[in-house]
Amino acid sequence: MAEEAAEKVAATAREAGIVAGEPLEDLYYVPESSLKLVEKMLNDGKKEEADYKSFADQVVDPWEVNDDETMVPVDMRCFKQYENLEEMMDQLGVVGFAEAFVKARKHFVDNPDKVPEDQRPENISAVEWKAMLMEGEEEEAMMDDDEEEEEEDLLPEDDEDELREDGEEEGAAEGEAEDNDAEEPPSKKARTE
């Protein structure tokens, strides 16, 4: 049962394209207890940035979240103008950043698209969230490697041979020059500049 839930969460993350530090996608997860505390502080009128710093740090760096913490999904569609979480926090400030996530959670809960409940992302543990982020980073690294290989494959074989031949010719010419230079150590040569 737990494996099925983990696979559903992983599939949701893959579909959403979730990778830490990458452009914001539609779905993100935040620590439930921290989000509730932020919501309470906002309702109480607290606006001191220091009060919200811990929440912001946990959102930007999920590795700071305790593994047993419950993570809740939030709908990030209304924040696509930001390249990533760091830019979002820089522009909104810590308090505005926290307010944005309270709104994103409300938007997710309100379900304006009327997605059937059985197809909506569920709460997950911080361990699952971290695993999803790692999986996304690994997939992105593999994609980057594949792109580099494709670029190498685009070079015609003739060009590769010419590059090799040029390198061999250069190496041979350098080797001859080195033989001539070997007679006198470099520190004793007169400067010609």
Side-chain angles (χ1 to χ4, degrees):
M1 181 77 172
E3 286 180 19
E4 288 176 12
E7 181 51 38
K8 181 178 179 183
V9 168
T12 301
R14 281 191 300 275
E15 289 169 12
I18 295 172
V19 178
E22 289 299 307
L24 298 177
E25 298 295 338
D26 293 347
L27 182 70
Y28 201 78
Y29 283 87
V30 297
E32 181 178 40
S33 62
S34 297
L35 186 66
K36 285 182 179 179
L37 179 62
V38 162
E39 198 169 12
K40 182 182 180 333
M41 289 189 302
L42 289 169
N43 287 337
D44 291 347
K46 286 190 175 185
K47 295 287 184 172
E48 297 294 320
E49 285 200 4
D51 295 330
Y52 298 90
K53 179 98 173 82
S54 175
F55 171 77
D57 289 344
Q58 289 179 343
V59 171
V60 171
D61 184 8
W63 308 111
E64 290 191 17
V65 179
N66 291 329
D67 286 346
D68 60 344
E69 179 75 51
T70 298
M71 306 295 286
V72 295
V74 296
D75 188 337
M76 299 297 290
R77 286 184 284 186
C78 46
F79 304 110
K80 286 207 180 242
Q81 70 268 28
Y82 303 106
E83 181 67 25
N84 55 41
L85 294 172
E86 290 85 0
E87 179 186 324
M88 185 176 169
M89 186 163 37
D90 287 346
Q91 291 189 17
L92 297 177
V94 176
V95 177
F97 183 78
E99 289 173 327
F101 276 90
V102 168
K103 290 175 185 174
R105 176 62 182 166
K106 182 177 179 345
H107 194 262
F108 176 84
V109 170
D110 290 348
N111 190 12
D113 299 328
K114 307 294 181 223
V115 176
E117 245 353 270
D118 63 342
Q119 294 177 11
R120 298 186 77 213
E122 299 174 351
N123 295 354
I124 59 173
S125 71
V127 170
E128 291 171 307
W129 178 233
K130 292 171 187 177
M132 288 167 44
L133 292 172
M134 285 177 55
E135 182 180 310
E137 288 172 355
E138 289 170 4
E139 286 178 9
E140 184 173 291
M142 287 189 321
M143 287 173 52
D144 289 345
D145 289 346
D146 289 344
E147 287 175 8
E148 287 175 14
E149 287 175 14
E150 286 175 11
E151 287 175 7
E152 289 173 8
D153 290 342
L154 292 176
L155 262 180
E157 285 185 36
D158 293 341
D159 288 347
E160 289 176 15
D161 291 340
E162 285 176 26
L163 288 174
R164 250 185 256 118
E165 287 171 9
D166 290 344
E168 289 171 5
E169 289 173 15
E170 270 183 36
E174 288 174 12
E176 290 170 11
E178 286 175 16
D179 289 344
N180 293 337
D181 294 342
E183 295 169 13
E184 190 174 326
S187 60
K188 294 187 180 181
K189 281 186 179 177
R191 289 190 164 194
T192 57
E193 293 179 29

